Amino acid sequence: MILSIIIPVYNVQKYIRQCLDSIYIQDVSLDIYEVIVINDGTPDNSMEIVYEFAEKYNNLQIINQENQGLSMARNNGLKAANGEYVWFIDSDDWIASNSITTILHQLSINNYNVISTPLIKINEDGNEIIGNDFNILQDSYFSYNDYFSHRIRHSAIQRFVIKRLFLIDNNLEFYPNIYHEDLEYGIKLIHKAGDIKVLKEGIYYYRIRQSGSITAKGSLKRSKDLIRVSSQIQDYIKTDIKEFFLKFLLREIVVEYLVYSIIIAYDYWNTNEYSHFYKNNKCYIKRSAVSLAFYALAFIKLRIVVRAVMFGIAPISFVKKRRI
């Protein structure tokens, strides 16, 4: 079996049928791929729809678990997978009708560890394309330096088709019980892969939801989790990254996440809880900005130096100006 498609399910009865339909209209044999649906204790009728598909298709496996969150659902799905490659697909998204054929074609060219596809961003109703988040003219083979240098910043795991043994050999698992769990994961994945095949054309439709999604609105927990994720990335930089230029690129990403950690908590800025959160993390945020300025100066990236210094001096004031 070549491909395992892993789909966590929680409160998606409005979307799951479209997701599964897109997988089962692929013009390939069912023997080539399996679908693993992880029921993360969903309280709605999503699983009734999933069981309809399970009765019809013998390559669909269902794992039921108590609600443990997206990270554990993906980790448990990976443990059950049998394919040479895995693809983590979100249950409110869908894939193009030629997706698996495209993947098989790429694998016939080379035995890649990781294939990366653009995300075709769609509005909540699924009828308006917001944009394609890559900007390359042809299918390309990127080193990790190339990948980060092209400002392909969003590490959304849905864009990657990954060799399963590569994940196992490198002990890559999602950190449990946090938002933005794929940011650190994606950086480690890209770095450890070394070289990545990047597709020009998107085959994954990524729904931008305004409700019912962890990316729909800000919360203080999301801000706290971004601080935690950025700290984990900094630890990885210190222990695993040797190249000075790559340290610079990843520190730039870290500071972007720290800026975002303030932006998404906008509605909480005037609360006592946010004051406590900001007081506890202000020094860390400032140190991270100063570190980025140092690395940017070494590469004469003066615009980045100025922005990093401004953010380091007054993080909230810097963010307020960005919101105007």
Side-chain angles (χ1 to χ4, degrees):
M1 182 178 298
I2 297 176
L3 181 65
S4 295
I5 295 174
I6 297 172
I7 310 174
V9 167
Y10 187 83
N11 271 354
V12 286
Q13 65 184 51
K14 182 179 178 181
Y15 308 109
I16 185 61
R17 187 179 298 278
Q18 182 180 24
C19 177
L20 292 173
D21 276 339
S22 74
I23 292 169
Y24 282 107
I25 62 169
Q26 303 291 313
D27 189 21
V28 297
S29 169
L30 296 181
D31 295 335
I32 288 176
Y33 68 99
E34 66 177 350
V35 179
I36 302 173
V37 170
I38 302 90
N39 170 21
D40 190 31
T42 185
D44 68 353
N45 296 321
S46 298
M47 291 309 298
E48 291 183 11
I49 298 170
V50 174
Y51 278 110
E52 287 181 26
F53 282 83
E55 291 178 1
K56 187 175 181 181
Y57 300 104
N58 61 11
N59 68 335
L60 194 157
Q61 175 188 170
I62 296 172
I63 298 174
N64 294 302
Q65 65 179 41
E66 294 183 1
N67 181 243
Q68 300 178 57
L70 183 59
S71 292
M72 289 306 299
R74 287 172 172 166
N75 289 341
N76 290 334
L78 178 61
K79 291 175 183 177
N82 297 295
E84 294 178 42
Y85 287 79
V86 297
W87 194 0
F88 297 99
I89 292 179
D90 280 358
S91 49
D92 53 354
D93 299 333
W94 72 95
I95 60 175
S97 59
N98 65 334
S99 294
I100 296 180
T101 300
T102 299
I103 292 167
L104 293 176
H105 172 69
Q106 293 299 328
L107 295 179
S108 71
I109 298 172
N110 200 332
N111 191 24
Y112 303 108
N113 282 327
V114 180
I115 298 172
S116 179
T117 173
L119 301 180
I120 305 169
K121 296 184 178 180
I122 304 295
N123 70 351
E124 184 164 6
D125 294 333
N127 55 21
E128 179 183 348
I129 296 178
I130 299 172
N132 180 323
D133 67 354
F134 281 8
N135 185 25
I136 59 174
L137 299 178
Q138 61 185 9
D139 293 351
S140 303
Y141 201 41
F142 281 17
S143 70
Y144 51 71
N145 275 335
D146 294 332
Y147 199 91
F148 292 123
S149 295
H150 276 71
R151 301 194 63 79
I152 303 175
R153 288 293 192 255
H154 199 313
S155 300
I157 197 63
Q158 303 92 327
R159 71 164 80 254
F160 300 114
V161 176
I162 314 161
K163 186 181 293 184
R164 183 169 61 87
L165 288 181
F166 166 79
L167 292 178
I168 295 171
D169 291 343
N170 286 282
N171 297 312
L172 282 171
E173 290 189 339
F174 294 95
Y175 195 89
N177 301 318
I178 62 170
Y179 293 142
H180 313 291
E181 71 291 327
D182 49 359
L183 298 182
E184 177 202 17
Y185 188 100
I187 285 174
K188 289 181 177 179
L189 172 73
I190 294 162
H191 178 241
K192 290 180 181 296
D195 297 303
I196 296 173
K197 183 60 181 283
V198 181
L199 305 184
K200 178 188 72 168
E201 300 293 340
I203 57 175
Y204 189 97
Y205 289 88
Y206 183 85
R207 193 187 305 268
I208 306 296
R209 292 169 58 188
Q210 299 304 311
S211 60
S213 166
I214 67 166
T215 58
K217 70 180 220 177
S219 75
L220 201 51
K221 175 168 170 48
R222 288 183 61 204
S223 293
K224 292 176 180 178
D225 286 348
L226 269 175
I227 295 287
R228 182 185 301 179
V229 167
S230 70
S231 178
Q232 291 168 344
I233 295 171
Q234 300 238 49
D235 289 342
Y236 185 74
I237 293 171
K238 293 174 184 176
T239 58
D240 289 72
I241 305 299
K242 307 302 181 185
E243 305 96 321
F244 194 76
F245 183 62
L246 184 57
K247 287 176 182 283
F248 159 62
L249 292 175
L250 295 184
R251 289 184 186 281
E252 187 180 5
I253 293 174
V254 163
V255 171
E256 287 180 5
Y257 293 161
L258 294 176
V259 170
Y260 191 51
S261 75
I262 297 175
I263 291 175
I264 61 177
Y266 174 76
D267 293 334
Y268 298 83
W269 282 0
N270 295 321
T271 67
N272 290 333
E273 189 179 4
Y274 185 80
S275 296
H276 181 71
F277 158 76
Y278 183 69
K279 181 180 179 180
N280 286 344
N281 293 286
K282 181 170 65 174
C283 289
Y284 167 70
I285 292 171
K286 288 174 174 283
R287 285 198 308 270
S288 299
V290 169
S291 178
L292 171 60
F294 167 77
Y295 278 87
L297 187 61
F299 293 102
I300 320 178
K301 303 286 187 180
L302 298 183
R303 181 173 176 270
I304 296 175
V305 172
V306 171
R307 290 173 61 82
V309 169
M310 290 174 62
F311 180 58
I313 292 173
I316 291 182
S317 295
F318 178 85
V319 169
K320 284 181 177 178
K321 290 180 180 180
R322 283 191 53 165
R323 293 185 64 90
I324 295 175

